[in-house]
Amino acid sequence: MLHDAQVQGEVCTMIQKKYSEFLPSLQSAEELAAQVDRLCGSIDLLRAQIENEVQRDLNVAIAEFTELKQQLERDTLILSVLKKLQEFDTAIKDYNAALQEKKYVVAAQQLEKAQSSLKLLESRKGFELKILKALGMELTVQTQNMLYQLGEEWQKMVVWKLPPSKELSSLESARQTELHLCTKLLKEEEIADSPVTSVLRAFAILGELHTKIKLFGQLLLKCILKPLISHPSLQPSVTEQPEAVVLRFETIEPNSEPSSPVEVFDKIRLVLEVLHIQLLNVPVDECVEGEKDGRTVLAQVLGDMIWGELSDCLIQDCLVYSIPTNSNKLEQYVEVIKSTEEFEKALKSMCFLKGDATDLLKYARNVNAHFANKKCQDVIVAARNLMTSEIHNTVKITPESSVALPKLPDPTAGDHVKMQKASKTLRNEMVNLENETKLSQHTFSLPACRISVSVERLMELAYQTLSEATASTDQCCIQLFYAVRNIFQLFYDVVPTYHKENLQKLPQLAAIHHNNCMYIAHHLLTLGHQFRYRLTSMLCDGAATFVDLVPGFRRLGIECFLAQMRAQKGELLERLSSARNFSNVDDEENYAAANKAIRQVLHQLRRLGKVWQDVLPATVYCKAMGTLLNTALVEIISRVTALEDISAEDADRLHSLCRTVAEEGPRVFAPLPEESENRKYQEEVPVYVHRWMTFKQLMLILQANLQEIVDQWADGKGPLAAEFSPAEVKSLIRALFQNTERRAAALAKIR
Amino acid sequence: MDEDVLTTLKILIIGESGVGKSSLLLRFTDDTFDPELAATIGVDFKVKTISVDGNKAKLAIWDTAGQERFRTLTPSYYRGAQGVILVYDVTRRETFLKLDNWLNELETYCTRNDIVKMLVGNKIDKENREVDRNEGLKFARKHSMLFIEASAKTCDGVQCAFEELVEKIIQTPGLWESENQNRGVKLSNKEEGYGGAGCGGYCSML
C-alpha cells in the first residue's frame, strides 16, 4: 500500500512536475503558433500585394515594348521604302539626264533599276501607298516615252518606203519598196558606241528588242526577201547616199520561169550582207565587251526569227522548182548544191545562221530523192488523168504501128537497132535452115484494132519513164520502175471503177476497153525485157518484169467484154421470147410477132456489128458476132423443132423467116470499114456460127419433100444426120407431113 | 427404089482450093460443067446411087471447101467416111505438093484406119501440065492410094474414079458391112475372094 501510495505520490509529483513544466511551454508554443500564424497571414498578404503590383507593371512593360518594337519595324520599313523611293527617284533622274544626253543604254538601265525598285516596293503586302500607283504610272509613262523616243530613233535609222497597196507580194508593189538604212556603221571599233548599238541595246534592256526585230523581220521577209524569191525579174540594188544606204529593187527583163537557186541565193546574200554591215552586226546584250564570240549579235536574233520561214520559202518557191524533171539535168544540179553550201556558209559567217543549221543543204543534197519523188508523182498524176479521160477517143493500132516504139532516147534506140539486127540475122539463119516455115513478120503482133488515145499515151508514158529510169541513180531507178508498175496497177483499179457504168452500158466502149487491156498486156509481155539490162543491177535478177501483170490485164479485158456479151445475149433471147414459140405462124398475129422478133434480133446484131466495126480485131469481132448469131439460131432451132404440128403454110412462113435470118445474118459481119473487104468474113459465117449448118438443114427440111429429107439423111451419113438426132428429124417429119405410108417409110429410114 | 441398094457409103472429096473438087462432083452427079463455078463455102453434099459389079450403092458425097479459111469446119466431116477422093490440079504443082498436108489431116481426123483413098489428078484437058502422070502414080503407090487422072470438063475419068473407089470399098472387108448387120442384110462370103484379088491394086485408067 505504501508502495502504492508512494507510487501514487511519485506519479502525482511527476505529473505535477510535468504539468508545471509542460503548461508554460505549451503556452509559449501556442503563443508562438499564433505569432507564426499572424506572420504567415502578413506574408501572404504581402506576397499578394507584391504579385499584384509586379504583374501590373509587367504587362505595361510588355505592351510598351511591343509598341516600341513595332515602331522600330515601321521606321525601318519606312526608311527602306524611302530608300527605294530615293533609288527610284535617282534612277528616274539619272534616266532623264541620260535620256537628254541620248545615252540610251544608261537611260534604259536606269529605267530598269527604277522598275526593279518599284517592283520591290510593290512586293510588300498590305503596304499600299498611293504614291506607288503614281510612281508606277510615272514609270510606265517614262518607259513608253523612252520607247517612243527609241522608236523614233529606230525609224530614223531604218526607213521603210512601202507601196500603198496592201498586196505586198505583187511584183508592182515590190518595185516601189525601199529600205533606207541611216545607221552609218562602217568600222568595227565604232560599233559598240554607235547610236544604233545604243538604241538596240536599250531596246534589249527594255525587253522590246524581240518585238521590234520581229516586226522588222516580218517586213524584211514580206517586202524584200519573199519577192526576191518569187519574182525572178527583181534585182536588189544598193545605193550609198551621204546619210544612208538605200536598198531598192530593179527589174530586169521579165522571165516566166522560176529563178534558179543560184541567182536567188546571190540576191538574198547581197541583201543580207548590206543589212549585216549596216545593222545586223550590232551586239545586243550587255555582257563583257570586246569579246566577240560571246556576244549575241542582232543578226542572230533576226536569224532565229525569220530563218525558219525563209528556208521554207526558199525550198517551196525556189528549190522545189529547181529539182530537174529530167534525169539528164540531174548532174548539173551539183552547181546548185555547191551554191547552197556557200550560201549557208556565208549566212553562218554573218551569224545569221547557227552553226548546225543545214536545212537547205540537206534538201538540196537530197536532190535524187526529190527528183524521184517529183517524177513519180508527176507520172502517177499524168497516168491517172489519162485513165479518167474519155475511152471513146480512139486511135487505130496496126501491126506496123505497134512495132515502132514510142520515142526512146538515143542509147535505147541504138540498142533497139542492134536487137533488130540480131533478130534479123537469126531469121536469116532460120530461113537457111528451113525455107518453108517462114513466120510472118507480124506473127507476134497485136492484130489491128482501135484503142483509146489515152491508153496509147499511157503506154508512151510508161516507156518514157522507164527510159528515164535507165539514166538515173539506183535509188531513183527503182522508184521510177515501181512508179511504172504502179501506173498499171492503178489502171487495173481505176478504169473499171471510174468507167463502170459506161462499160456496162455501151458495147463499143466495152470493146475498146477490151482492146486497151489486150494492148497493155501485149506491151507488158516484153516491157521488162526491153529494159532489163539497162535498169539498175538491183532490179536485174528477175525483179524488173511486168509479165506477172499480163494475165490480170487479159482477164480484165475479157471479163468486161464477156459481161457485155452476156448482156447482149440476154437481150437477144428476150427479143426472141416475144415470138410466141414460132407456133401457128399461119395466124397473121402470130406471124407478125415472130417476124418482129426476128427483125429486132437482126437489128440488134446489125447495130452491134456497126459499133464494133473497125474497133475489135477482125477475128474477135467475128467470134463475138458469130457467138451472138449462134445464140439466136439455137433458140430458133429449138423452138421450131419442138413444134408438134407445122402446116404447109406454117412451113412456108417459118422458112421465109429463117431465110431472112440466113440472108441478113451474114451481112451483120462487117469487121472492116471498107464494105468490099467484108465479103470474106460474110462467107466465113459457117466457121464462126457453130450451128449455122444445123440452121441450114432446118431450112431445108421446112421446104423439102420426104425423099429429099431421106437423101439428106443418107443412112445417117448425110449432113442432116450430122446436125440432127434421129428423134429430132422424126419429130419434124411428123409435124410437117400427114400420116401416110410414104411418111412411115421415110420415118423407118431415119435411125 | 432404095430397097435394092446394098449400102450407103460416105465419100469425102478433099484437096487444095481450085483443083476442081466441086466440078468433079457436079460432073459425076449432074453431068454438068461450069467453068465459072464459085468457090465452095463450108461444105456441099450430093447423093447418088451407083452400080458397081451389080451391087447398088448409094453414095453420100461430101464436097469440102478447099480454102484455108474453112478448114476449121472440115474435121467434123471426116467422121464415118469410108472413102476419100484426094484431088490435085495437074497444071498447078503446088496443089500436088500440098498432098502431104492433106494426107496428114486425113490421118488425124479419120475415124477408121482402113478408109479407101483415091488420088485424082484433075484438069488433064489443059495444056500447061506441071505434074507428070508418073509422079502422081508414084505418090499414090507410096501412100497406098488408088490413082487416076481426070478432067471434069471433058468427063475423062470422072465416073471411073468414083466407081473404082466404091469397088475398092466394097472389096474391103469390115469397112461397110458391120453397120449394115443390124439391118438384117446377110453378107455372103464372096468378099473374101475379092479381098485377095484387090489388095495392093493401083487402079489405072489406061
Side-chain angles (χ1 to χ4, degrees):
Chain A
M1 228 11 227
L2 186 63
H3 192 65
D4 275 357
Q6 207 185 351
V7 169
Q8 271 173 357
E10 253 174 59
V11 168
C12 198
T13 46
M14 250 325 262
I15 288 167
Q16 268 173 343
K17 207 175 144 187
K18 273 276 171 185
Y19 269 94
S20 67
E21 276 170 23
F22 174 69
L23 274 178
S25 77
L26 179 72
Q27 250 166 6
S28 70
E30 267 169 359
E31 262 166 45
L32 202 62
Q35 253 175 13
V36 167
D37 277 344
R38 259 193 323 272
L39 198 62
C40 275
S42 70
I43 284 171
D44 279 346
L45 201 72
L46 196 62
R47 205 172 59 190
Q49 232 166 20
I50 288 168
E51 269 182 3
N52 239 348
E53 269 170 37
V54 170
Q55 194 69 49
R56 203 175 50 230
D57 284 353
L58 196 64
N59 279 344
V60 171
I62 285 170
E64 223 167 279
F65 176 76
T66 319
E67 206 177 315
L68 284 174
K69 207 175 107 191
Q70 278 173 352
Q71 206 170 355
L72 181 67
E73 275 173 359
R74 214 159 34 231
D75 288 349
T76 323
L77 192 67
I78 287 169
L79 201 64
S80 79
V81 168
L82 286 176
K83 218 179 196 169
K84 284 289 164 198
L85 283 176
Q86 196 206 358
E87 266 176 28
F88 181 87
D89 186 54
T90 330
I92 294 287
K93 264 185 200 155
D94 288 354
Y95 148 79
N96 271 326
L99 195 60
Q100 300 253 296
E101 289 169 44
K102 300 204 168 183
K103 287 185 179 165
Y104 294 114
V105 179
V106 179
Q109 279 165 348
Q110 293 306 327
L111 261 187
E112 200 190 19
K113 227 186 252 173
Q115 171 83 45
S116 69
S117 307
L118 190 62
K119 232 183 210 160
L120 222 69
L121 286 173
E122 279 171 341
S123 67
R124 295 179 200 285
K125 269 188 199 163
F127 196 78
E128 279 107 17
L129 274 177
K130 275 188 187 160
I131 194 170
L132 285 186
K133 230 177 199 176
L135 288 179
M137 265 168 69
E138 174 68 11
L139 187 67
T140 315
V141 168
Q142 290 306 330
T143 312
Q144 291 307 319
N145 181 27
M146 173 150 189
L147 283 177
Y148 177 74
Q149 277 203 32
L150 285 174
E152 293 276 281
E153 288 285 338
W154 173 248
Q155 267 175 18
K156 267 186 233 160
M157 289 170 191
V158 178
V159 184
W160 286 98
K161 284 194 181 163
L162 297 175
S165 84
K166 283 178 185 172
E167 191 57 47
L168 284 168
S169 58
S170 82
L171 185 63
E172 196 51 45
S173 60
R175 228 177 291 154
Q176 294 168 24
T177 307
E178 282 181 22
L179 174 60
H180 296 248
L181 297 169
C182 321
T183 50
K184 289 172 272 175
L185 258 187
L186 291 169
K187 289 174 195 164
E188 277 283 314
E189 316 85 70
E190 293 171 9
I191 288 172
D193 307 319
S194 66
V196 67
T197 313
S198 66
V199 167
L200 287 170
R201 281 180 62 181
F203 268 129
I205 292 162
L206 293 177
E208 285 292 309
L209 184 69
H210 280 255
T211 338
K212 218 68 200 170
I213 294 301
K214 200 170 186 179
L215 237 110
F216 175 75
Q218 292 301 335
L219 273 175
L220 188 68
L221 260 181
K222 225 193 241 172
C223 305
I224 295 185
L225 299 179
K226 279 190 180 173
L228 273 182
I229 296 169
S230 46
H231 300 298
S233 59
L234 286 178
Q235 186 74 42
S237 87
V238 180
T239 38
E240 292 197 16
Q241 291 175 358
E243 286 297 302
V245 174
V246 179
L247 190 68
R248 61 161 71 88
F249 292 121
E250 278 171 2
T251 32
I252 44 175
E253 76 276 26
N255 188 354
S256 60
E257 276 179 41
S259 43
S260 85
V262 183
E263 285 167 24
V264 171
F265 289 159
D266 285 347
K267 289 177 194 172
I268 288 177
R269 216 165 114 183
L270 178 67
V271 170
L272 289 179
E273 266 164 5
V274 170
L275 283 175
H276 185 73
I277 294 169
Q278 296 301 319
L279 185 69
L280 296 180
N281 201 18
V282 168
V284 286
D285 54 357
E286 306 121 281
C287 71
V288 225
E289 301 211 2
E291 209 185 307
K292 207 188 172 205
D293 291 348
R295 290 187 311 184
T296 315
V297 182
L298 184 61
Q300 223 167 314
V301 179
L302 188 65
D304 284 349
M305 272 172 192
I306 65 169
W307 175 244
E309 204 174 333
L310 180 61
S311 65
D312 281 354
C313 183
L314 278 170
I315 290 169
Q316 293 298 321
D317 295 338
C318 175
L319 283 177
V320 165
Y321 297 114
S322 74
I323 301 290
T325 46
N326 216 314
S327 55
N328 50 20
K329 286 186 195 147
L330 213 49
E331 278 170 36
Q332 299 164 15
Y333 205 72
V334 178
E335 254 177 65
V336 175
I337 296 176
K338 219 170 108 192
S339 79
T340 310
E341 202 172 353
E342 277 167 15
F343 177 66
E344 285 196 334
K345 218 191 239 165
L347 293 193
K348 278 173 197 165
S349 76
M350 287 187 267
C351 294
F352 188 80
L353 207 57
K354 276 186 203 140
D356 55 347
T358 52
D359 304 357
L360 288 183
L361 190 60
K362 241 186 256 165
Y363 185 87
R365 277 202 179 133
N366 214 1
V367 62
N368 282 324
H370 297 308
F371 167 72
N373 286 340
K374 189 178 180 181
K375 188 80 205 172
C376 291
Q377 197 181 330
D378 288 354
V379 163
I380 292 291
V381 167
R384 199 176 187 288
N385 285 339
L386 287 174
M387 287 171 208
T388 51
S389 61
E390 294 294 352
I391 293 180
H392 66 243
N393 294 330
T394 58
V395 60
K396 180 107 183 178
I397 295 294
T398 61
E400 286 80 8
S401 70
S402 66
V403 167
L405 290 176
K407 315 152 208 158
L408 285 169
D410 283 345
T412 319
D415 279 15
H416 192 60
V417 170
K418 238 183 267 167
M419 270 156 53
Q420 274 184 339
K421 264 184 199 160
S423 65
K424 225 178 243 170
T425 54
L426 199 67
R427 201 181 295 152
N428 285 338
E429 282 166 23
M430 276 177 62
V431 168
N432 292 339
L433 286 173
E434 209 169 350
N435 252 333
E436 281 170 84
T437 51
K438 205 192 288 180
L439 289 178
S440 152
Q441 60 167 332
H442 297 321
T443 296
F444 293 113
S445 300
L446 194 73
C449 64
R450 282 195 172 271
I451 62 163
S452 302
V453 175
S454 58
V455 167
E456 190 183 40
R457 295 229 186 96
L458 192 74
M459 215 56 229
E460 283 173 12
L461 183 68
Y463 274 101
Q464 272 164 10
T465 311
L466 280 177
S467 47
E468 271 200 19
T470 61
S472 305
T473 56
D474 284 0
Q475 183 53 39
C476 188
C477 176
I478 291 171
Q479 239 176 310
L480 285 176
F481 171 78
Y482 281 102
V484 174
R485 276 187 67 93
N486 285 342
I487 290 180
F488 295 116
Q489 255 137 18
L490 196 67
F491 184 96
Y492 196 86
D493 290 331
V494 165
V495 174
T497 315
Y498 187 85
H499 298 285
K500 188 175 181 187
E501 208 179 316
N502 283 340
L503 289 177
Q504 283 170 351
K505 222 163 49 187
L506 305 170
Q508 188 178 35
L509 285 200
I512 297 171
H513 179 62
H514 164 268
N515 294 348
N516 287 345
C517 292
M518 293 301 169
Y519 175 80
I520 291 173
H522 181 75
H523 277 279
L524 291 183
L525 277 174
T526 56
L527 192 55
H529 298 285
Q530 290 177 49
F531 289 93
R532 189 170 165 182
Y533 297 108
R534 269 167 283 145
L535 291 171
T536 171
S537 55
M538 272 176 268
L539 287 170
C540 266
D541 42 352
T545 185
F546 293 90
V547 174
D548 55 321
L549 299 174
V550 169
F553 266 89
R554 289 192 175 146
R555 209 180 316 120
L556 194 65
I558 289 168
E559 268 170 17
C560 171
F561 192 65
L562 279 186
Q564 185 60 233
M565 286 286 285
R566 278 193 294 276
Q568 296 296 335
K569 200 170 159 181
E571 212 175 307
L572 281 176
L573 291 178
E574 193 175 318
R575 293 184 195 290
L576 281 175
S577 70
S578 63
R580 305 184 188 178
N581 293 337
F582 294 99
S583 63
N584 298 328
V585 283
D586 51 353
D587 177 76
E588 282 307 324
E589 221 175 282
N590 288 344
Y591 178 69
N595 192 27
K596 196 174 173 198
I598 293 281
R599 292 197 178 278
Q600 281 178 345
V601 163
L602 287 170
H603 181 260
Q604 187 191 336
L605 289 173
R606 210 174 291 126
R607 194 171 50 89
L608 281 176
K610 199 73 207 162
V611 297
W612 285 342
Q613 181 181 76
D614 199 35
V615 171
L616 285 173
T619 49
V620 178
Y621 178 101
C622 289
K623 250 192 222 169
M625 293 301 292
T627 305
L628 290 175
L629 181 55
N630 194 56
T631 302
L633 295 191
V634 167
E635 180 68 10
I636 295 172
I637 291 165
S638 80
R639 295 281 173 220
V640 173
T641 49
L643 294 176
E644 286 180 3
D645 184 35
I646 304 172
S647 71
E649 200 186 346
D650 278 347
D652 282 346
R653 284 188 162 175
L654 283 174
H655 184 264
S656 109
L657 286 176
C658 289
R659 200 179 57 224
T660 312
V661 177
E663 282 169 2
E664 298 285 320
R667 278 185 216 160
V668 303
F669 284 72
L672 305 177
E674 190 61 54
E675 197 46 51
S676 59
E677 291 173 34
N678 287 325
R679 246 200 72 190
K680 170 178 176 295
Y681 298 103
Q682 288 164 3
E683 285 173 358
E684 287 166 19
V685 163
V687 177
Y688 305 118
V689 183
H690 184 55
R691 301 302 292 277
W692 184 255
M693 286 304 183
T694 315
F695 189 69
K696 293 292 259 188
Q697 288 297 317
L698 178 71
M699 285 176 69
L700 197 139
I701 291 180
L702 286 173
Q703 287 291 280
N705 57 39
L706 280 167
Q707 181 56 47
E708 283 164 338
I709 293 177
V710 169
D711 279 350
Q712 285 294 310
W713 184 260
D715 267 349
K717 286 172 179 157
L720 188 53
E723 307 296 344
F724 286 105
S725 69
E728 284 171 327
V729 177
K730 279 181 187 167
S731 158
L732 272 172
I733 290 174
R734 288 193 186 103
L736 281 162
F737 297 96
Q738 290 187 332
N739 192 0
T740 59
E741 262 177 53
R742 282 174 61 84
R743 190 183 90 169
L747 284 172
K749 288 193 175 124
I750 310 296
R751 58 196 162 180
Chain B
M1 57 167 255
D2 278 352
E3 306 318 313
D4 50 349
V5 167
L6 182 63
T7 183
T8 303
L9 299 175
K10 180 167 179 178
I11 309 293
L12 208 58
I13 309 179
I14 57 174
E16 284 297 296
S17 173
V19 295
K21 297 181 293 298
S22 300
S23 293
L24 282 172
L25 178 62
L26 278 180
R27 174 58 82 191
F28 176 61
T29 56
D30 302 6
D31 199 23
T32 56
F33 180 77
D34 177 2
E36 303 296 323
L37 198 60
T40 307
I41 286 170
V43 72
D44 245 346
F45 176 75
K46 292 279 181 192
V47 189
K48 177 152 173 130
T49 306
I50 185 173
S51 182
V52 179
D53 295 341
N55 292 316
K56 263 194 172 176
K58 189 166 161 186
L59 304 185
I61 309 166
W62 293 65
D63 173 24
T64 64
Q67 285 178 19
E68 186 78 39
R69 56 199 177 120
F70 296 110
R71 293 282 165 82
T72 52
L73 291 173
T74 40
S76 65
Y77 305 143
Y78 285 92
R79 192 183 327 117
Q82 288 139 310
V84 62
I85 294 175
L86 184 49
V87 188
Y88 71 93
D89 180 350
V90 295
T91 65
R92 278 162 64 215
R93 186 160 192 89
E94 73 269 18
T95 64
F96 181 72
L97 294 174
K98 284 279 170 74
L99 288 176
D100 272 321
N101 287 356
W102 283 105
L103 283 174
N104 196 10
E105 186 165 315
L106 189 62
E107 209 170 297
T108 308
Y109 295 113
C110 199
T111 52
R112 51 208 318 163
N113 299 327
D114 51 359
I115 186 168
V116 177
K117 290 168 271 186
M118 160 69 80
L119 181 63
V120 176
N122 194 23
K123 306 196 188 177
I124 51 168
D125 57 289
K126 284 195 169 179
E127 306 264 291
N128 49 339
R129 182 192 268 269
E130 284 183 7
V131 185
D132 188 67
R133 186 177 174 276
N134 281 326
E135 276 184 272
L137 187 59
K138 216 171 130 190
F139 185 84
R141 194 170 292 165
K142 187 175 159 198
H143 293 96
S144 310
M145 289 190 281
L146 302 168
F147 177 67
I148 197 165
E149 285 196 330
S151 164
K153 189 177 178 182
T154 63
C155 215
D156 263 348
V158 177
Q159 188 71 23
C160 184
F162 282 93
E163 283 171 3
E164 294 281 350
L165 181 70
V166 172
E167 192 176 9
K168 182 75 200 287
I169 293 170
I170 290 175
Q171 284 170 4
T172 307
L175 187 51
W176 57 278
E177 323 84 306
S178 60
E179 55 194 294
N180 289 344
Q181 273 169 359
N182 54 359
R183 290 187 186 182
V185 177
K186 272 281 174 207
L187 298 168
S188 65
N189 288 335
K190 66 178 177 183
E191 280 93 12
E192 284 167 15
Y194 278 113
C199 76
Y202 302 114
C203 154
S204 167
M205 219 189 103
L206 299 171

